[in-house]
PDB file of all heavy atoms in Angstrom:
ATOM      1  N   PRO A  24     -23.722  23.518 -94.860  1.00 90.00           N
ATOM      2  CA  PRO A  24     -23.786  24.608 -93.877  1.00 90.00           C
ATOM      3  C   PRO A  24     -25.187  24.740 -93.287  1.00 90.00           C
ATOM      4  O   PRO A  24     -26.180  24.347 -93.906  1.00 90.00           O
ATOM      5  CB  PRO A  24     -23.419  25.848 -94.701  1.00 90.00           C
ATOM      6  CG  PRO A  24     -23.772  25.477 -96.107  1.00 90.00           C
ATOM      7  CD  PRO A  24     -23.514  24.002 -96.231  1.00 90.00           C
ATOM      8  N   VAL A  25     -25.262  25.257 -92.111  1.00 86.00           N
ATOM      9  CA  VAL A  25     -26.542  25.458 -91.436  1.00 86.00           C
ATOM     10  C   VAL A  25     -27.350  26.511 -92.185  1.00 86.00           C
ATOM     11  O   VAL A  25     -26.825  27.564 -92.556  1.00 86.00           O
ATOM     12  CB  VAL A  25     -26.315  25.894 -89.970  1.00 86.00           C
ATOM     13  CG1 VAL A  25     -27.650  26.142 -89.288  1.00 86.00           C
ATOM     14  CG2 VAL A  25     -25.506  24.831 -89.238  1.00 86.00           C
ATOM     15  N   GLY A  26     -28.602  26.208 -92.460  1.00 79.00           N
ATOM     16  CA  GLY A  26     -29.450  27.144 -93.189  1.00 79.00           C
ATOM     17  C   GLY A  26     -29.900  28.307 -92.317  1.00 79.00           C
ATOM     18  O   GLY A  26     -29.715  28.310 -91.088  1.00 79.00           O
ATOM     19  N   GLU A  27     -30.500  29.269 -92.982  1.00 76.00           N
ATOM     20  CA  GLU A  27     -31.005  30.431 -92.252  1.00 76.00           C
ATOM     21  C   GLU A  27     -32.230  30.030 -91.426  1.00 76.00           C
ATOM     22  O   GLU A  27     -33.019  29.183 -91.844  1.00 76.00           O
ATOM     23  CB  GLU A  27     -31.386  31.535 -93.231  1.00 76.00           C
ATOM     24  CG  GLU A  27     -30.201  32.068 -94.020  1.00 76.00           C
ATOM     25  CD  GLU A  27     -30.619  33.175 -94.948  1.00 76.00           C
ATOM     26  OE1 GLU A  27     -31.823  33.505 -94.972  1.00 76.00           O
ATOM     27  OE2 GLU A  27     -29.752  33.719 -95.650  1.00 76.00           O
ATOM     28  N   PRO A  28     -32.384  30.593 -90.261  1.00 71.00           N
ATOM     29  CA  PRO A  28     -33.545  30.245 -89.430  1.00 71.00           C
ATOM     30  C   PRO A  28     -34.848  30.656 -90.096  1.00 71.00           C
ATOM     31  O   PRO A  28     -34.950  31.729 -90.682  1.00 71.00           O
ATOM     32  CB  PRO A  28     -33.296  31.027 -88.130  1.00 71.00           C
ATOM     33  CG  PRO A  28     -32.373  32.143 -88.530  1.00 71.00           C
ATOM     34  CD  PRO A  28     -31.516  31.605 -89.633  1.00 71.00           C
ATOM     35  N   GLY A  29     -35.829  29.759 -90.056  1.00 63.00           N
ATOM     36  CA  GLY A  29     -37.133  30.071 -90.611  1.00 63.00           C
ATOM     37  C   GLY A  29     -38.001  30.806 -89.606  1.00 63.00           C
ATOM     38  O   GLY A  29     -37.626  30.982 -88.445  1.00 63.00           O
ATOM     39  N   ASP A  30     -39.182  31.223 -90.072  1.00 57.00           N
ATOM     40  CA  ASP A  30     -40.078  31.960 -89.191  1.00 57.00           C
ATOM     41  C   ASP A  30     -41.267  31.128 -88.750  1.00 57.00           C
ATOM     42  O   ASP A  30     -42.231  31.641 -88.210  1.00 57.00           O
ATOM     43  CB  ASP A  30     -40.590  33.228 -89.880  1.00 57.00           C
ATOM     44  CG  ASP A  30     -41.292  32.906 -91.194  1.00 57.00           C
ATOM     45  OD1 ASP A  30     -41.312  31.720 -91.582  1.00 57.00           O
ATOM     46  OD2 ASP A  30     -41.833  33.840 -91.813  1.00 57.00           O
ATOM     47  N   TYR A  31     -41.211  29.788 -89.000  1.00 52.00           N
ATOM     48  CA  TYR A  31     -42.350  28.965 -88.630  1.00 52.00           C
ATOM     49  C   TYR A  31     -42.571  28.944 -87.127  1.00 52.00           C
ATOM     50  O   TYR A  31     -43.688  28.756 -86.655  1.00 52.00           O
ATOM     51  CB  TYR A  31     -42.147  27.539 -89.145  1.00 52.00           C
ATOM     52  CG  TYR A  31     -41.156  26.732 -88.347  1.00 52.00           C
ATOM     53  CD1 TYR A  31     -41.576  25.887 -87.321  1.00 52.00           C
ATOM     54  CD2 TYR A  31     -39.795  26.822 -88.610  1.00 52.00           C
ATOM     55  CE1 TYR A  31     -40.668  25.151 -86.594  1.00 52.00           C
ATOM     56  CE2 TYR A  31     -38.881  26.083 -87.885  1.00 52.00           C
ATOM     57  CZ  TYR A  31     -39.322  25.249 -86.879  1.00 52.00           C
ATOM     58  OH  TYR A  31     -38.411  24.539 -86.160  1.00 52.00           O
ATOM     59  N   LYS A  32     -41.494  29.128 -86.341  1.00 49.00           N
ATOM     60  CA  LYS A  32     -41.648  29.082 -84.895  1.00 49.00           C
ATOM     61  C   LYS A  32     -42.572  30.177 -84.390  1.00 49.00           C
ATOM     62  O   LYS A  32     -43.251  30.032 -83.393  1.00 49.00           O
ATOM     63  CB  LYS A  32     -40.281  29.204 -84.222  1.00 49.00           C
ATOM     64  CG  LYS A  32     -39.367  28.003 -84.481  1.00 49.00           C
ATOM     65  CD  LYS A  32     -38.053  28.161 -83.756  1.00 49.00           C
ATOM     66  CE  LYS A  32     -37.146  26.972 -83.982  1.00 49.00           C
ATOM     67  NZ  LYS A  32     -35.842  27.116 -83.285  1.00 49.00           N
ATOM     68  N   VAL A  33     -42.577  31.295 -85.104  1.00 50.00           N
ATOM     69  CA  VAL A  33     -43.446  32.404 -84.721  1.00 50.00           C
ATOM     70  C   VAL A  33     -44.784  32.303 -85.425  1.00 50.00           C
ATOM     71  O   VAL A  33     -45.847  32.445 -84.850  1.00 50.00           O
ATOM     72  CB  VAL A  33     -42.760  33.751 -85.036  1.00 50.00           C
ATOM     73  CG1 VAL A  33     -43.702  34.900 -84.734  1.00 50.00           C
ATOM     74  CG2 VAL A  33     -41.463  33.886 -84.251  1.00 50.00           C
ATOM     75  N   THR A  34     -44.756  32.004 -86.720  1.00 62.00           N
ATOM     76  CA  THR A  34     -45.971  32.033 -87.524  1.00 62.00           C
ATOM     77  C   THR A  34     -46.933  30.915 -87.159  1.00 62.00           C
ATOM     78  O   THR A  34     -48.144  31.120 -87.073  1.00 62.00           O
ATOM     79  CB  THR A  34     -45.597  31.920 -89.003  1.00 62.00           C
ATOM     80  OG1 THR A  34     -44.664  32.950 -89.332  1.00 62.00           O
ATOM     81  CG2 THR A  34     -46.821  32.068 -89.878  1.00 62.00           C
ATOM     82  N   PHE A  35     -46.410  29.721 -86.897  1.00 81.00           N
ATOM     83  CA  PHE A  35     -47.272  28.571 -86.721  1.00 81.00           C
ATOM     84  C   PHE A  35     -47.351  28.089 -85.276  1.00 81.00           C
ATOM     85  O   PHE A  35     -47.695  26.953 -85.025  1.00 81.00           O
ATOM     86  CB  PHE A  35     -46.784  27.408 -87.603  1.00 81.00           C
ATOM     87  CG  PHE A  35     -46.813  27.736 -89.067  1.00 81.00           C
ATOM     88  CD1 PHE A  35     -45.870  27.191 -89.921  1.00 81.00           C
ATOM     89  CD2 PHE A  35     -47.768  28.581 -89.586  1.00 81.00           C
ATOM     90  CE1 PHE A  35     -45.895  27.480 -91.273  1.00 81.00           C
ATOM     91  CE2 PHE A  35     -47.805  28.874 -90.934  1.00 81.00           C
ATOM     92  CZ  PHE A  35     -46.863  28.326 -91.781  1.00 81.00           C
ATOM     93  N   LYS A  36     -47.054  28.937 -84.325  1.00 89.00           N
ATOM     94  CA  LYS A  36     -47.072  28.535 -82.932  1.00 89.00           C
ATOM     95  C   LYS A  36     -48.330  29.060 -82.260  1.00 89.00           C
ATOM     96  O   LYS A  36     -48.653  30.247 -82.350  1.00 89.00           O
ATOM     97  CB  LYS A  36     -45.836  29.075 -82.206  1.00 89.00           C
ATOM     98  CG  LYS A  36     -45.664  28.557 -80.798  1.00 89.00           C
ATOM     99  CD  LYS A  36     -44.336  29.035 -80.227  1.00 89.00           C
ATOM    100  CE  LYS A  36     -44.117  28.503 -78.830  1.00 89.00           C
ATOM    101  NZ  LYS A  36     -42.846  28.965 -78.259  1.00 89.00           N
ATOM    102  N   SER A  37     -49.051  28.152 -81.589  1.00 94.00           N
ATOM    103  CA  SER A  37     -50.264  28.562 -80.878  1.00 94.00           C
ATOM    104  C   SER A  37     -50.636  27.465 -79.889  1.00 94.00           C
ATOM    105  O   SER A  37     -50.707  26.286 -80.245  1.00 94.00           O
ATOM    106  CB  SER A  37     -51.418  28.789 -81.864  1.00 94.00           C
ATOM    107  OG  SER A  37     -52.572  29.206 -81.182  1.00 94.00           O
ATOM    108  N   GLY A  38     -50.849  27.872 -78.639  1.00 95.00           N
ATOM    109  CA  GLY A  38     -51.225  26.910 -77.609  1.00 95.00           C
ATOM    110  C   GLY A  38     -51.447  27.609 -76.269  1.00 95.00           C
ATOM    111  O   GLY A  38     -50.979  28.720 -76.048  1.00 95.00           O
ATOM    112  N   PHE A  39     -52.182  26.935 -75.377  1.00 97.00           N
ATOM    113  CA  PHE A  39     -52.469  27.535 -74.076  1.00 97.00           C
ATOM    114  C   PHE A  39     -52.812  26.433 -73.085  1.00 97.00           C
ATOM    115  O   PHE A  39     -53.134  25.289 -73.461  1.00 97.00           O
ATOM    116  CB  PHE A  39     -53.649  28.511 -74.166  1.00 97.00           C
ATOM    117  CG  PHE A  39     -54.971  27.817 -74.282  1.00 97.00           C
ATOM    118  CD1 PHE A  39     -55.775  27.617 -73.165  1.00 97.00           C
ATOM    119  CD2 PHE A  39     -55.415  27.333 -75.510  1.00 97.00           C
ATOM    120  CE1 PHE A  39     -56.989  26.964 -73.266  1.00 97.00           C
ATOM    121  CE2 PHE A  39     -56.623  26.682 -75.617  1.00 97.00           C
ATOM    122  CZ  PHE A  39     -57.415  26.492 -74.497  1.00 97.00           C
ATOM    123  N   SER A  40     -52.766  26.792 -71.818  1.00 97.00           N
ATOM    124  CA  SER A  40     -53.244  25.938 -70.726  1.00 97.00           C
ATOM    125  C   SER A  40     -53.578  26.844 -69.555  1.00 97.00           C
ATOM    126  O   SER A  40     -52.764  27.700 -69.169  1.00 97.00           O
ATOM    127  CB  SER A  40     -52.186  24.906 -70.336  1.00 97.00           C
ATOM    128  OG  SER A  40     -52.703  23.979 -69.395  1.00 97.00           O
ATOM    129  N   ALA A  41     -54.786  26.673 -68.980  1.00 96.00           N
ATOM    130  CA  ALA A  41     -55.233  27.540 -67.881  1.00 96.00           C
ATOM    131  C   ALA A  41     -56.013  26.716 -66.861  1.00 96.00           C
ATOM    132  O   ALA A  41     -56.643  25.710 -67.199  1.00 96.00           O
ATOM    133  CB  ALA A  41     -56.108  28.673 -68.419  1.00 96.00           C
ATOM    134  N   ALA A  42     -55.945  27.163 -65.593  1.00 93.00           N
ATOM    135  CA  ALA A  42     -56.596  26.433 -64.501  1.00 93.00           C
ATOM    136  C   ALA A  42     -57.681  27.302 -63.860  1.00 93.00           C
ATOM    137  O   ALA A  42     -57.598  28.528 -63.849  1.00 93.00           O
ATOM    138  CB  ALA A  42     -55.556  26.034 -63.464  1.00 93.00           C
ATOM    139  N   ARG A  43     -58.702  26.628 -63.296  1.00 89.00           N
ATOM    140  CA  ARG A  43     -59.774  27.339 -62.584  1.00 89.00           C
ATOM    141  C   ARG A  43     -59.497  27.234 -61.079  1.00 89.00           C
ATOM    142  O   ARG A  43     -59.292  26.142 -60.537  1.00 89.00           O
ATOM    143  CB  ARG A  43     -61.136  26.720 -62.904  1.00 89.00           C
ATOM    144  CG  ARG A  43     -62.297  27.407 -62.193  1.00 89.00           C
ATOM    145  CD  ARG A  43     -63.627  26.805 -62.652  1.00 89.00           C
ATOM    146  NE  ARG A  43     -64.756  27.358 -61.902  1.00 89.00           N
ATOM    147  CZ  ARG A  43     -65.368  28.501 -62.177  1.00 89.00           C
ATOM    148  NH1 ARG A  43     -64.953  29.247 -63.197  1.00 89.00           N
ATOM    149  NH2 ARG A  43     -66.396  28.918 -61.447  1.00 89.00           N
ATOM    150  N   ILE A  44     -59.493  28.389 -60.410  1.00 84.00           N
ATOM    151  CA  ILE A  44     -59.184  28.414 -58.983  1.00 84.00           C
ATOM    152  C   ILE A  44     -60.409  28.791 -58.133  1.00 84.00           C
ATOM    153  O   ILE A  44     -60.348  28.805 -56.907  1.00 84.00           O
ATOM    154  CB  ILE A  44     -58.029  29.390 -58.699  1.00 84.00           C
ATOM    155  CG1 ILE A  44     -58.389  30.798 -59.180  1.00 84.00           C
ATOM    156  CG2 ILE A  44     -56.746  28.899 -59.361  1.00 84.00           C
ATOM    157  CD1 ILE A  44     -57.319  31.832 -58.862  1.00 84.00           C
ATOM    158  N   MET A  45     -61.533  29.115 -58.792  1.00 82.00           N
ATOM    159  CA  MET A  45     -62.749  29.459 -58.058  1.00 82.00           C
ATOM    160  C   MET A  45     -63.397  28.204 -57.486  1.00 82.00           C
ATOM    161  O   MET A  45     -63.499  27.188 -58.166  1.00 82.00           O
ATOM    162  CB  MET A  45     -63.740  30.172 -58.970  1.00 82.00           C
ATOM    163  CG  MET A  45     -63.250  31.505 -59.485  1.00 82.00           C
ATOM    164  SD  MET A  45     -64.520  32.281 -60.516  1.00 82.00           S
ATOM    165  CE  MET A  45     -63.659  33.773 -61.010  1.00 82.00           C
ATOM    166  N   ASN A  46     -63.859  28.300 -56.258  1.00 80.00           N
ATOM    167  CA  ASN A  46     -64.508  27.174 -55.601  1.00 80.00           C
ATOM    168  C   ASN A  46     -65.995  27.106 -55.919  1.00 80.00           C
ATOM    169  O   ASN A  46     -66.644  26.078 -55.722  1.00 80.00           O
ATOM    170  CB  ASN A  46     -64.304  27.268 -54.078  1.00 80.00           C
ATOM    171  CG  ASN A  46     -64.653  25.985 -53.378  1.00 80.00           C
ATOM    172  OD1 ASN A  46     -64.701  24.918 -53.986  1.00 80.00           O
ATOM    173  ND2 ASN A  46     -64.916  26.080 -52.075  1.00 80.00           N
ATOM    174  N   SER A  47     -66.550  28.186 -56.437  1.00 82.00           N
ATOM    175  CA  SER A  47     -67.987  28.227 -56.741  1.00 82.00           C
ATOM    176  C   SER A  47     -68.265  27.567 -58.086  1.00 82.00           C
ATOM    177  O   SER A  47     -67.387  27.491 -58.956  1.00 82.00           O
ATOM    178  CB  SER A  47     -68.480  29.678 -56.767  1.00 82.00           C
ATOM    179  OG  SER A  47     -67.759  30.411 -57.746  1.00 82.00           O
ATOM    180  N   TYR A  48     -69.506  27.094 -58.239  1.00 83.00           N
ATOM    181  CA  TYR A  48     -69.899  26.476 -59.496  1.00 83.00           C
ATOM    182  C   TYR A  48     -70.003  27.549 -60.586  1.00 83.00           C
ATOM    183  O   TYR A  48     -70.474  28.665 -60.336  1.00 83.00           O
ATOM    184  CB  TYR A  48     -71.239  25.779 -59.364  1.00 83.00           C
ATOM    185  CG  TYR A  48     -71.241  24.593 -58.419  1.00 83.00           C
ATOM    186  CD1 TYR A  48     -72.435  24.180 -57.810  1.00 83.00           C
ATOM    187  CD2 TYR A  48     -70.075  23.902 -58.140  1.00 83.00           C
ATOM    188  CE1 TYR A  48     -72.456  23.092 -56.952  1.00 83.00           C
ATOM    189  CE2 TYR A  48     -70.088  22.819 -57.273  1.00 83.00           C
ATOM    190  CZ  TYR A  48     -71.267  22.419 -56.687  1.00 83.00           C
ATOM    191  OH  TYR A  48     -71.277  21.360 -55.822  1.00 83.00           O
TER     192      TYR A  48
END
């Protein structure tokens, strides 16, 4: 049978991606 869902998706999830839109240095 399918096991109970774990909480690793919440506990061990971390990541990001961001862009710079300013034209100045």
Side-chain angles (χ1 to χ4, degrees):
V25 178
E27 296 181 359
D30 57 356
Y31 75 95
K32 293 182 179 179
V33 176
T34 305
F35 298 148
K36 188 174 181 181
S37 181
F39 75 98
S40 187
R43 180 175 175 83
I44 58 177
M45 296 182 182
N46 194 20
S47 59
Y48 295 156

